[in-house]
Amino acid sequence: MFSYLKRILIGKPLKTLEEGGQALTKFRALALLSSDALSSVAYGTEEILSVLVVLSAAATWYSLPIAAIVLALLFAIVVSYRQIINAYPSGGGAYAVASTNWGTSAGLVAGGSLLVDYMLTVAVSVTSGTEAITSAIPSLINYQVPIAILIVLGIMALNLRGLRESASFLTIPVYFFIIMITGMVAFGFFNIITGRAVYHAATAVGTAVPGMTFVLFMRALSSGSSSLTGVEAISNAVPNFRKPKRRNAAMTLTIMALILGVFFAGITVLAYYGGIVPSAKQTVLSQIGVSVFGHGILYYMLQLSTALILAVAANTGFSAFPMLAYNLAKDKFMPHAYMDRGDRLGYSNGIISLAAGAIVLILIFHGKTSLLIPLYAIGVFVPFTLSQSGMIVHWMRERGRGWLLKSSANFLGAFLSFVLVLCLLFLHFGNVWPYFIVMPVILRMFYKIRQHYNAVADQLRLVEKGKVKLHEYDGSTVIVLVSNVTQVTSGAINYARSIGDYVIAMHVSFDSDPEKEHKTAIEFKAEYPDVRFVDIHSSYRSITNPTIRFCDVIAKRAAERNYTTTVLVPQFVPRRPWQNILHNQTALRLRASLNSRENIIVSTYNYHLK
């Protein structure tokens, strides 16, 4: 039944050779990897205005120079990540750049920051989409958390189906949003140029506003920088592109940045020109939509496209997280399970882990993750700073053609990113302090995993040929676990005789039915007089503990004689898998406990029922 449901939800398995068919074209990659970045225009301008309007409506004109700085940072980031795509096409992104140029610790800070940030991306995006749904249907307001969890599980299932299917599904909401925002910005500027739009700005550009300080300006800038989250996702997913991978990934990044820049600049200018300020009842984007489209069908299409893009923005995390986890696992900083491909050739363990982490965040914050946006931002700008400064080191070492110009763009991006990190640290410390607790824990986890893998490799590595010391044994002891005398027992004893020099049958008896236990001993001795039968009494109805104690004693004695010790666990296998639930799983528990014992080999004798 599980396999049947899995086939329905995920689809039939794909052959490894079909991997090329899952590669992304630029059209699909833009839908799959840009939803997070593009969705940020729905709240980026509003984040800036929300800070400025606290002073006065007149201060809202500062949103224009702030937007210009954000666009300059976007330009520097895009130039830098195009370079990263070409120099580090393995998909490591900021992690690969920082590790190579600043060292392992810096790389792990970048990688760990992004892993957490992708979980926050999913949580913030899904809860934003859920709020849009509950705003339209107020009766669902009390079900925000279950709705958000269902959306996460739905996107997870979609990604488990493979890149092509998830990208095909996302083309509709992403390109619908692009069309609606393009129409709104174009029509809004047309109205301004033709004089149809009324100028409602609170004050002219350049007007000195009493009370405006550098600190307030930087607070607004750091809030508006949330519009740049998600830009790095394409550099982490380069291996998923169709050949030529580097060129297609770089082109997709450029197209996404152009769309993002035009949308962000257009929305900011329209908001200033129309004198629009944040409202508790209506978003800035919604107010712009009303001023441009009125309350007609186009306005409601704009709102629908916004709700859809916010809901699916989480998919960017599902595309980038598995690739980043793969690169960390390849370097032995995460479990090797993250390198395994699923039935549909995606890194399923990374997809499932991301969904689990996002659901935990949604449950912890009860679906209200708006306060996490500064934490969300610092998780991006720390890797931005490390990757772009790392590229400066890269160009200073490589000194290729035009390296000074390239490193200048990296310097601009690194400087602005570092300034924003400082702003987030000092101006939003109340929201970003968890970062300084979570990151040391994650770094310790990375190093402990690496330490484990190194220790395992040291123990498993063969020494030089000719110096390998092979242990030779003089014989073997086999302990057969016996519950009663059956066909299973008979087959297990015969098998034990064939592989062992000394066979012991061990039985655990209870106080509940002494006559039955005595009868079992008599039957066994009559059937197998040449096999030693040991009856271990258990007063507490436990099978596992007496078995382990007995096997430890025998193993110790066997080792003194230079014998191996094998514990043979007999079990019967029902014809139908569902019939397993009708039987106790004693053999399973025994094997799990015995596997932890040294100098004991655990083996299973299966008797298949007809």
Side-chain angles (χ1 to χ4, degrees), residues 26-31 170-180 259 309:
K26 293 189 288 291
F27 181 82
R28 284 180 170 166
L30 185 64
L170 290 169
T171 53
I172 298 173
V174 172
Y175 284 105
F176 180 35
F177 180 75
I178 291 174
I179 290 169
M180 292 309 303
I259 296 172
I309 194 74

Side-chain angles (χ1 to χ4, degrees), residues 131-210:
E131 286 170 3
I133 294 171
T134 54
S135 297
I137 311 174
S139 60
L140 298 176
I141 193 76
N142 294 325
Y143 302 98
Q144 281 187 315
V145 171
I147 291 171
I149 291 173
L150 285 175
I151 292 174
V152 171
L153 293 175
I155 298 175
M156 179 191 77
L158 182 66
N159 280 272
L160 289 174
R161 293 185 66 88
L163 286 173
R164 283 190 62 186
E165 292 203 30
S166 55
S168 298
F169 175 82
L170 290 169
T171 53
I172 298 173
V174 172
Y175 284 105
F176 180 35
F177 180 75
I178 291 174
I179 290 169
M180 292 309 303
I181 298 296
T182 301
M184 184 192 75
V185 171
F187 196 46
F189 275 90
F190 175 77
N191 288 341
I192 292 174
I193 294 169
T194 57
R196 296 182 183 182
V198 181
Y199 180 73
H200 284 299
T203 186
V205 175
T207 304
V209 179

